[in-house]
Amino acid sequence: MPHKLPALPYDYSALEPHIDTRTMGVHHDKHHAAYVSNLNKALEGYPDLQEQSAIQLLQGLDSVPEEIRGAVRNNGGGHVAHSMFWSCMKPKGGGEPKGSLAKAVDESFGSFAGFKDTFTKAAAALFGSGWTWLCLNAKGELVVTTTPGHDHPMFQGLAPLLVLDVWEHAYYLKFENRRPDYITEWWNVVDWDFVSANMTAVQVGAGLQHVADWATGTWGKLEDGWAKLVGG
């Protein structure tokens, strides 16, 4: 089944005056749409791969045929990152996180101000085009990382919670080459409820995986024991 461009969760003008209407329209309808279209083109002739989601394709990138692997990585990565990016923003967003997310931010960065400074500097300093992410690492700690092009933090063993697009097409129509100004305005539309929900989902998923691993190991031991009892 072909990959589809997801609808924006708000109107093009909803993030004004921080993110302008024209940029939102071009960014979503032209740039994101092109990644979806090019991903579908790359998968033509590969029906098994067409059944996989974009994130599944990235997770199994080593098994994707070499002749389309680059196209899948770039366009699939662009599709996944943009789809998350739209949901990381909302009208009348901004402010600071609350609850367990706020506590985690304080534990990892000392304060929200410390996190914001770390994230902002990383986004501003990223050379060329790419993305800046807030992620959970394998220890359950919050970390800030950047990726070039459309690479996903899963390649670094990280689970993303928040992402900022710092490709020029995300801000050039309004801010031209003033990326720091774009980043400053973006903080006013961050959807902390979405970020918090992502953290909860990752933590629950990790917990379930631990349970699954334990259950698998226990089941294997039980099977071995039963096999011995019945002479298998």
Side-chain angles (χ1 to χ4, degrees):
M1 128 180 320
H3 295 272
K4 297 181 179 180
L5 177 69
L8 284 175
Y10 35 71
D11 292 337
Y12 297 122
S13 61
L15 304 182
E16 290 273 13
H18 311 292
I19 310 295
D20 63 291
T21 304
R22 186 183 174 204
T23 292
M24 289 299 297
V26 172
H27 196 174
H28 178 267
D29 295 356
K30 301 297 184 181
H31 291 279
H32 189 174
Y35 297 125
V36 175
S37 176
N38 289 333
L39 177 60
N40 286 327
K41 289 179 182 177
L43 296 177
E44 290 177 358
Y46 299 91
D48 291 343
L49 296 180
Q50 291 172 0
E51 296 300 316
Q52 297 184 30
S53 68
I55 197 72
Q56 288 172 331
L57 289 168
L58 295 179
Q59 290 171 333
L61 196 61
D62 288 344
S63 64
V64 172
E66 187 175 356
E67 59 268 23
I68 63 168
R69 191 175 300 157
V72 170
R73 180 170 188 153
N74 293 332
N75 293 291
H79 180 28
V80 168
H82 279 93
S83 296
M84 183 175 183
F85 177 59
W86 309 130
S87 294
C88 285
M89 302 181 290
K90 70 176 181 180
K92 299 180 181 179
E96 299 185 14
K98 300 177 182 178
S100 59
L101 176 59
K103 181 179 179 181
V105 166
D106 289 344
E107 290 174 349
S108 296
F109 301 99
S111 65
F112 176 73
F115 155 66
K116 187 174 180 180
D117 182 63
T118 299
F119 191 100
T120 296
K121 287 180 177 177
L126 179 61
F127 182 78
S129 301
W131 301 79
T132 305
W133 311 77
L134 173 66
C135 301
L136 273 176
N137 65 17
K139 297 179 181 179
E141 301 165 333
L142 291 178
V143 296
V144 170
T145 191
T146 59
T147 57
H150 290 310
D151 280 356
H152 195 277
M154 75 169 71
F155 299 136
Q156 303 175 23
L158 301 172
L161 309 180
L162 170 70
V163 63
L164 170 63
D165 187 349
V166 289
W167 280 65
E168 285 189 343
H169 64 234
Y171 60 87
Y172 204 85
L173 290 178
K174 178 175 182 177
F175 297 98
E176 298 178 337
N177 65 335
R178 303 188 308 276
R179 184 191 287 180
D181 292 347
Y182 158 66
I183 298 169
T184 296
E185 290 297 316
W186 172 78
W187 286 111
N188 294 301
V189 295
V190 173
D191 185 350
W192 291 114
D193 292 334
F194 177 76
V195 181
S196 181
N198 286 340
M199 187 178 76
T200 299
V202 171
Q203 291 172 331
V204 170
L208 289 175
Q209 185 61 53
H210 291 321
V211 172
D213 291 343
W214 171 84
T216 299
T218 301
W219 181 252
K221 292 176 183 177
L222 288 174
E223 283 188 314
D224 290 341
W226 288 335
K228 292 177 182 177
L229 285 174
V230 299

